Structures are given as structure tokens and as C-alpha cells.
Amino acid sequence: MHHFTYREGHLYAEDVALEAIARAVGTPFYCYSAATLRRHFRVFADAFADRDTLVAFSVKSLSNLAVLTLLQKEGAGADVVSGGELSRALTAGIPGDRIVFSGVGKTRTEMAAALEAGIHQFNVESVPELQALNDVAISHDTTAPVALRINPDVAAGSHDKISTGRAEDKFGIPWAQARDVYRLAGNLPGIAVKGVDVHIGSQITDLAPFEKAFNRTAELVRALRADGHEITRLDLGGGLGVPYQHGDDQSAPPHPEVYAEMIKRIAGPLDVQLIFEPGRMITGNAGILVSRIIYHKEGESRRFLILDAAMNDLIRPALYDAWHDVIPVREPGSQGGKVKYDLVGPVCETGDTFARQRDLPELAENDLVAFLTAGAYGAVQASQYNTRPLVLEVLVDGDRYAVIRKRPTTAQILAMESVPDWV
Ligand SMILES: *Cc1c(COP(=O)(O)O)cnc(C)c1O
């Protein structure tokens, strides 16, 4: 469900024509729908409204301050994975006690900042990290609220680069060591053990791996309680997928209601606060990338559309072999045929290919196209490779829109660098 639809032959974001935005701000740009963001957050939060739940939006999926502020107003907390993201969440007005800090490599500086912000919980992923956090908490004369991230050794069927819950992945504390590490944590004066955390991966569209991991986790909560730990929170991570391909019902993710029902069945009897860290399911369908066709090139055996967007703006196809539906911003007539195109960017890498042999209506130079489902892990992974300016972002809400991240000028990019006088 999203709010990017054709009206009288033109693609709109809510009530704003994308052609009008393109004329005003240039291309390429990301465009987010406020209504879609709100709707996705509410559907998820409402599914758990009948119990003590913290929905901590995964900031890394889409971290623009305007988006964080919008979600904060819906009641979202934040799941952050760096000191930078912590600052973003706080700047957007998300209270410290609704922030959880995840990630395998938190530095002592980041830990100190999070303690000063009074965050709800650190999700700790290793013994050395636990010891470092203990030191930092003691030196701040406080205790750090902690959940240990346990690796349940469950393979979820998402891409290799976004699967995190297998024994060979770098994430979490190995299942077999969990009780020992909790014993250690319970004896550290700077650590307050609060809960258990799991996050098995991203873009998971099948309930079975979640259910398996959560059942194992519930079992662990019971064992830890028997060991004398007071476990009052259960953080079940993010990872619920979104449909990337129109008409592909097979990989359609479960509705949050169905997901919630499964979780309540497993976690209900434990009487814990539930914490979730959804990212993609809130932001994925809420964003598109709009790009202009620079050239139409006839290759030996292929027709290439060379776009003004490139892998530095949207790296998911290059990094994860990800599929994004591509649609023309000017709606094609019903009788025109389809043509197979390769859609590529201007970057000097073969990997700068968005789609191969894609069936599209006939397109021409200067036409605009939109990559759908680009809200999550799109703009946040953009770079300035090839000295292409960081991609611009726009937020639409009803009939209003605003630029929420400017495109830097080349002069501004160059001003970040300096040449020592001894060169
Ligand atoms: C990336 C990540 C998430 C969010 O994953 P989605 O698939 O976007 O929901 C949640 N928790 C942790 C620890 C993560 O690393």
C-alpha cells in the first residue's frame, strides 16, 4: 500500500505531480510519501496496541530528520546503530527512553553519549562489548540497561548480505554461550540486565523463520529466569519484508496483524515489554527514486537507457541484486507494446546497472522514470562516487512538498577537502 499513483496520465506522489517536483528541484531525487509512512507505522503499532510495546523505528533504513520527526510525532522510538544516528534521533525529538542502541561495534565514546541521553537499552553483541560498556557505565556513575543479542542460529531466506541470524554471521552471542554470558553480565556492577534481543535478518517474507527464532528465544527467557535473572523485555528486532515486485504474490510478506498474532501467542505468557525495530516495512514502499533518461543507446544486441541516477544514488541492485519495479512518470497508453531495456547509470562500473532486459513501454530521452519501493536503504546508502552530488530528498504530504535534503554544489563538495602545502 502506497500513495504513488497515476492521475490523468501523470504519476503523482499523493496530490503532487512528480513532473512538477522534477522541474523545481532537478533530478535525480528521492520522494517520500508522508501518508504512507504514517500508515505503515500505525498499522504496525496498532497490531500491538493492546500490550506494553516499544516500536523503535530502525533509523538506518531511512534516517532523514524530517522522516524521523514525522515518525516521532506518531509515537515512534528509534533503533540506532551509531552515535550519528543517536544524534539524529535526539534531534528529531525522540526521547532517550524510547531509543535502543544496536550494532556490533559501539565505541566507548558512543556508549558514553547514549548513557548521557538516558537510552532505554543497549543491545550488546559480545563479551568484550559488555565489558567496555560496564567500564563506561561505572565511570559515569550509573548502570547501563542491557539486552544481550542472541544468535538463534536460524537461516532466514533473505539475501546472503542481509541474513544475520546464522551461527556463521558476525551478529549476536552464540546460542550455546548465552547463559554463561548472562551470568557474567549479572555480576558486572555497571550492567543492569533487562532483556533478550534477537534480529535474524532483513527482507524476510515468510513467518516460519521468525517463529522458529522467537520460540527458541522464549525458551531462553524461561531458562534465564530459572537462573535468577529478571528478564522484563524481549526485543524481537526488525526484518519483516516488503513486496518489491508488482504481481509477485508468492513473496508477499505477512500482514503485521498476522505477525503480531504469532508473536502474542509465543511471548504473551512471558509478561515482558515487547520491543520491535522495524525499518523496511515502514519506509520501503514510502519512497521512490525519480530519474531522467539522458540517452537512449542502441547496443549490438541491447537497448540501453542511460539515466541520470546511478549506483551511488541507489546501490541496492548492485549490492544485493535487488529488484526495483521501474515505471514511467508519464503513463503509457494502453495500446503501446513493450520493449526490453537495460537501465544503467553514468558511473564507470559495469555494476552500475539497475535492471537488465526489463519490459517497459517505449521510452525516449528526457522522459522521467520512477524506481518504486526505494524508501528503505536507498538514500541512506548514497555516496558521492564519481563526484556526483549526494542525492536530493523530497517529502510530500497531501498537496504540499518540501526539499528535506539539499543537493550539494560541486563547490561545497570540494570545500570539504584540502591540499597540504607540502604536496
Ligand atoms: C537493520 C536492522 C533492523 C531493521 O531491519 P529491517 O529489515 O529494515 O526491518 C532492525 N534491527 C537491527 C539490529 C538491524 O540491524
Side-chain angles (χ1 to χ4, degrees), residues 58 60 79 102 149 199 201-203 238-240 277-280 377:
S58 178
K60 76 175 197 277
D79 172 43
S102 300
R149 178 169 175 184
H199 170 73
S202 205
Q203 185 50 18
L240 209 51
E277 305 162 352
R280 188 189 313 261
Y377 307 103

Side-chain angles (χ1 to χ4, degrees), residues 203 242-248 280 314 316-318 320-326 354-359 371-374:
Q203 185 50 18
V242 299
Y244 277 93
Q245 205 161 343
H246 186 75
D248 174 16
R280 188 189 313 261
L314 176 64
R316 298 189 69 260
Y320 316 115
D321 304 312
W323 173 286
H324 286 273
D325 280 345
V326 181
F354 292 115
R356 291 196 164 84
Q357 299 290 286
R358 189 68 71 91
D359 285 318
F371 290 85
L372 305 186
T373 325

Side-chain angles (χ1 to χ4, degrees), residues 56-61 79-81 100-103 123 125 149 162 164 171 197-204 210 235-241 276-283 376-377:
F57 169 63
S58 178
V59 171
K60 76 175 197 277
S61 75
D79 172 43
V80 303
V81 293
V100 299
F101 197 159
S102 300
N123 289 338
E125 302 214 13
R149 178 169 175 184
I162 51 175
T164 60
F171 298 97
D197 169 43
V198 285
H199 170 73
I200 58 173
S202 205
Q203 185 50 18
I204 302 165
F210 284 121
D235 183 335
L236 297 176
L240 209 51
F276 295 98
E277 305 162 352
R280 188 189 313 261
M281 69 130 319
I282 292 171
T283 53
Y377 307 103

Side-chain angles (χ1 to χ4, degrees), residues 16-31:
V16 184
L18 287 156
E19 281 152 341
I21 301 178
R23 266 196 306 278
V25 307
T27 50
F29 64 91
Y30 279 89
C31 179

